[in-house]
Amino acid sequence: GAVVSQHPSRVICKSGTSVKIECRSLDFQATTMFWYRQFPKQSLMLMATSNEGSKATYEQGVEKDKFLINHASLTLSTLTVTSAHPEDSSFYICSARVPTTRGRRQYFGPGTRLTVT
Amino acid sequence: AQKITQTQPGMFVQEKEAVTLDCTYDTSDQSYGLFWYKQPSSGEMIFLIYQGSYDEQNATEGRYSLNFQKARKSANLVISASQLGDSAMYFCAMREGSGVQGAQKLVFGQGTRLTINP
């Protein structure tokens, strides 16, 4: 099946710094990628939809200036958490939609655990 | 209003038994898709099974089957002959619309933690 990678898998940063998370589709082209956030013992919440070559679409309540998304190519989307604070600590997961699959399934990356100290 | 409801926070099942994980959904769309994902402790989301709203047959994928009752708006996951490796969080998710354009995003339920006992 389709493979999506994320880097880094874990990152610890100090409050006030910025962190970039990469999401790559390894064996297919992804015009659309999605970024989710998951707090401990909770469900996934969609943050934004990333479209190649255009601006991302953010969900209500997500600060677009804080969570910068860039989908520069058909295989790479990046999420930058700017001026990170401890409350931004979370598990961030990306996914990519494969239109040719039944249900236009989303394949998920392994996730990035961000800890802000 | 909750779009996806999973009423079982936790389930405990003996190995080799079958288990049903409940999922109900709410939508006014005629075209939609329902998904089940497994999330082990590693955190990755593993696709298990998909059911389209127009599919007449219940979906099956190996030991997984989806009991789709459209009138009741339920999409329960059935795992037959459970194994120790099935212990994980299970999420039901819905995509409203056909997914061709516009509505592509998934909405997830709160999840059910399944524990298989030896």
Side-chain angles (χ1 to χ4, degrees):
Chain A
V3 178
V4 177
S5 71
Q6 264 183 260
H7 178 79
S9 58
R10 287 179 178 272
V11 57
I12 301 172
C13 71
K14 291 192 174 181
S15 191
T17 62
S18 296
V19 174
K20 181 186 284 189
I21 303 170
E22 294 185 347
C23 177
R24 292 182 186 272
S25 57
L26 297 185
D27 51 359
F28 65 99
Q29 293 184 332
T31 55
T32 306
M33 291 183 171
F34 303 87
W35 287 96
Y36 295 86
R37 181 174 184 176
Q38 186 179 30
F39 290 109
K41 301 189 190 302
Q42 292 190 23
S43 188
L44 279 72
M45 295 297 294
L46 180 66
M47 298 175 66
T49 302
S50 171
N51 300 297
E52 188 267 338
S54 64
K55 288 184 179 179
T57 304
Y58 290 81
E59 294 300 300
Q60 193 171 13
V62 177
E63 299 175 59
K64 55 184 70 176
D65 292 333
K66 182 167 187 61
F67 298 99
L68 299 179
I69 290 171
N70 184 13
H71 196 149
S73 77
L74 285 171
T75 59
L76 174 65
S77 175
T78 59
L79 168 68
T80 301
V81 183
T82 62
S83 187
H85 289 283
E87 57 265 31
D88 298 325
S89 297
S90 188
F91 191 58
Y92 293 87
I93 313 176
C94 71
S95 72
R97 196 178 75 111
V98 183
T100 54
T101 57
R102 190 164 173 273
R104 298 174 186 86
R105 181 186 316 171
Q106 290 185 26
Y107 287 86
F108 285 82
T112 297
R113 192 163 303 281
L114 170 64
T115 303
V116 184
T117 60
Chain B
Q2 281 274 57
K3 294 250 181 195
I4 296 284
T5 303
Q6 294 180 253
T7 57
Q8 305 152 311
M11 288 273 289
F12 295 85
V13 173
Q14 284 298 119
E15 191 179 6
K16 297 182 183 154
E17 288 184 353
V19 56
T20 298
L21 304 182
D22 295 341
C23 173
T24 57
Y25 60 92
D26 181 29
T27 182
S28 56
D29 281 10
Q30 295 301 309
S31 179
Y32 52 90
L34 297 156
F35 301 78
W36 277 91
Y37 285 88
K38 172 184 177 181
Q39 187 179 41
S41 56
S42 60
E44 63 180 313
M45 296 289 284
I46 301 168
F47 167 81
L48 297 178
I49 199 164
Y50 165 77
Q51 181 85 39
S53 59
Y54 291 118
D55 293 342
E56 294 184 354
Q57 305 256 2
N58 285 343
T60 60
E61 295 274 356
R63 291 187 301 115
Y64 304 107
S65 61
L66 199 150
N67 184 0
F68 181 46
Q69 298 189 39
K70 196 169 181 177
R72 297 177 64 180
K73 292 188 175 177
S74 76
N76 298 340
L77 176 70
V78 180
I79 306 174
S80 63
S82 58
Q83 302 171 355
L84 295 178
D86 293 334
S87 294
M89 280 291 287
Y90 287 79
F91 291 98
C92 179
M94 177 174 66
R95 185 208 64 236
E96 290 179 298
S98 65
V100 174
Q101 53 183 302
Q104 304 173 21
K105 59 186 183 182
L106 292 179
V107 176
F108 286 83
Q110 290 303 302
T112 295
R113 179 166 296 284
L114 176 64
T115 303
I116 308 297
N117 296 315

